[in-house]
Amino acid sequence: MKERITPHLRALIDAGSEAIKNQFVKMRGKNTKKKFPTLDPLEEEKYSPTKGLVHKYKRTALIKVSNYCAGHCQFCTRCRDIGTPEGDLSKEDIKNIITYVEKHTEIVEIILSGGDPFFTPNVTYELLDKLDSIKSVRVIRIGTRLPVHAPRSFKQRNVLDVLEKIEAINRFRCPVHVLIHFNHPDEITKEVSDLMWDLRRTGVVLFSQTVFLRDVNDNVDILDKLFMKLHSLGVIPYYIYRCDYVAGREHFVVPFMREVRIMIALWKRLPGLALPQYIFDAPGGKGKIRVPYLSRQIPRSFADTEGKTIEI
Ligand SMILES: *Cc1c(COP(=O)(O)O)cnc(C)c1O
Ligand code: SF4
């Protein structure tokens, strides 16, 4: 994955943000002894019935809108794909996705992901328009990091069109949730907090997702500040993930016990609505494991949603 840094991120790095720098600037030669074997730990390819669709959990299907993001996060789980045209959806691909979702009426929730759905607003608009008329779809989620990469993009005409569409779906059809990937309080500039107000006016409920990252946010005070800031902007911290075990990304992974200690400290300090669930999407397992951190010990293995034992 190439380095890709927006002018907005560049300005934050130039102003001295180590946390932004460590997420977006390629660290050459940085490595650890531990080596992860795979570029696809979540086996998304195995669960893809048609191009652009991942159907791993019965009631939820995830649509990869494209492989493009405004900025490239160097720890990305999908780093093997990001920035490549292979994820572009043709009319035919979109038709196949929609037909699959129509047929599989057990799918209640659709997640638009990618790449970044707000970075390819025309495709997202088309998908929302088609999903709008599938009766069995009752909830739509959109995962994005564009507010962090380039908040001013939300003033562009075709992004505003998507927001209008979201507002209409929210009013008359079903809830649309927007999940924003935030990792550090430096990412919440004045522009970004103003944008949270604009987004909330469309009726969406805002959630955040965070990844534990070494030398970015592996610290109680930083995460305390991040989650309280988000809470006060009406963004509900949903998940904090253990960094996925992607080959070449070993140096981002925080030691398990350090994460546990941070979570215990956060649990003591934060209001319930500001405390995200701590998740490990273990390689080889099906389902996101809620790490039982209050036991103060990490089990050596977990049972996944299908009862299979996953060693860690
Ligand atoms: C994470 C994920 C979901 C959603 O999981 P929730 O626990 O409902 O947030 C759905 N599909 C795929 C492929 C995922 O990776
Ligand atoms: S925004 Fe998300 S999908 Fe895009 S590079 Fe960053 S982590 Fe990966």
Side-chain angles (χ1 to χ4, degrees):
M1 189 173 66
K2 282 208 200 103
E3 198 175 79
R4 193 181 153 111
I5 300 173
T6 59
H8 172 79
L9 292 168
R10 178 59 68 192
L12 294 173
I13 294 170
D14 291 346
S17 175
E18 286 290 313
I20 308 274
K21 185 176 143 203
N22 291 343
Q23 291 182 75
F24 294 96
V25 176
K26 236 183 181 136
M27 298 292 168
R28 286 170 188 89
K30 203 166 183 181
N31 237 323
T32 54
K33 272 175 266 145
K34 207 167 168 182
K35 288 272 187 287
F36 301 135
T38 170
L39 281 168
D40 182 19
L42 305 184
E43 303 179 290
E44 287 186 340
E45 259 131 58
K46 176 169 135 192
Y47 294 105
S48 180
T50 182
K51 186 179 171 186
L53 192 80
V54 184
H55 190 193
K56 185 168 176 181
Y57 307 112
K58 187 176 171 204
R59 295 188 170 96
T60 314
L62 183 149
I63 300 174
K64 293 200 218 174
V65 174
S66 80
N67 283 341
Y68 304 120
C69 298
H72 288 176
C73 316
Q74 289 303 321
F75 52 85
C76 181
T77 302
R78 302 201 173 118
C79 58
R80 70 185 190 282
D81 300 323
I82 295 302
T84 67
E86 279 93 69
D88 295 3
L89 300 178
S90 65
K91 296 276 166 218
E92 190 66 25
D93 296 331
I94 292 180
K95 212 176 115 209
N96 292 339
I97 291 171
I98 295 300
T99 307
Y100 183 93
V101 175
E102 274 169 346
K103 258 199 208 141
H104 290 77
T105 52
E106 74 273 20
I107 299 173
V108 172
E109 178 165 349
I110 294 289
I111 302 178
L112 299 183
S113 179
D116 197 317
F118 283 109
F119 192 56
T120 46
N122 301 345
V123 187
T124 299
Y125 190 95
E126 190 179 343
L127 285 165
L128 285 173
D129 197 48
K130 298 214 154 87
L131 292 169
D132 198 356
S133 50
I134 305 178
K135 291 280 166 297
S136 43
V137 173
R138 302 309 314 162
V139 179
I140 297 172
R141 262 198 236 184
I142 305 178
T144 180
R145 211 176 187 209
L146 195 59
V148 172
H149 293 154
R152 284 185 291 270
S153 310
F154 283 83
K155 306 237 183 279
Q156 287 169 6
R157 187 63 255 167
N158 37 9
V159 178
L160 290 172
D161 288 344
V162 172
L163 294 183
E164 258 173 46
K165 183 80 193 163
I166 288 173
E167 188 169 353
I169 296 177
N170 251 322
R171 272 182 187 227
F172 302 112
R173 187 34 192 96
C174 72
V176 181
H177 302 317
V178 174
L179 282 78
I180 309 171
H181 179 164
F182 282 111
N183 291 333
H184 192 278
D186 286 359
E187 297 164 2
I188 310 175
T189 61
K190 173 75 169 56
E191 266 176 323
V192 175
S193 52
D194 288 348
L195 174 60
M196 296 304 108
W197 283 86
D198 291 342
L199 291 175
R200 281 202 296 123
R201 285 190 196 98
T202 68
V204 296
V205 177
L206 296 174
F207 294 91
S208 71
Q209 304 199 88
T210 301
V211 181
F212 265 119
L213 295 169
R214 185 186 287 215
D215 297 335
V216 173
N217 63 10
D218 54 338
N219 171 291
V220 181
D221 294 322
I222 289 173
L223 288 174
D224 181 327
K225 191 170 163 197
L226 173 67
F227 296 137
M228 284 312 289
K229 223 166 166 177
L230 290 170
H231 187 41
S232 67
L233 288 168
V235 184
I236 303 166
Y238 176 47
Y239 280 165
I240 181 163
Y241 288 95
R242 178 157 176 75
C243 187
D244 285 325
Y245 292 2
V246 183
R249 300 296 180 272
E250 293 82 358
H251 59 281
F252 279 114
V253 178
V254 179
F256 227 138
M257 273 319 286
R258 182 165 173 79
E259 292 179 351
V260 167
R261 279 196 293 273
I262 293 171
M263 286 310 301
I264 292 169
L266 290 172
W267 164 72
K268 289 180 184 167
R269 291 190 195 183
L270 292 171
L273 275 178
L275 180 70
Q277 297 187 59
Y278 173 31
I279 298 292
F280 181 32
D281 215 343
K286 187 168 174 184
K288 295 172 169 71
I289 291 161
R290 271 75 180 154
V291 181
Y293 57 88
L294 291 181
S295 68
R296 279 154 219 272
Q297 283 164 7
I298 294 300
R300 283 178 185 279
S301 64
F302 297 96
D304 73 2
T305 54
E306 294 182 333
K308 187 171 139 200
T309 303
I310 308 299
E311 305 283 341
I312 58 163

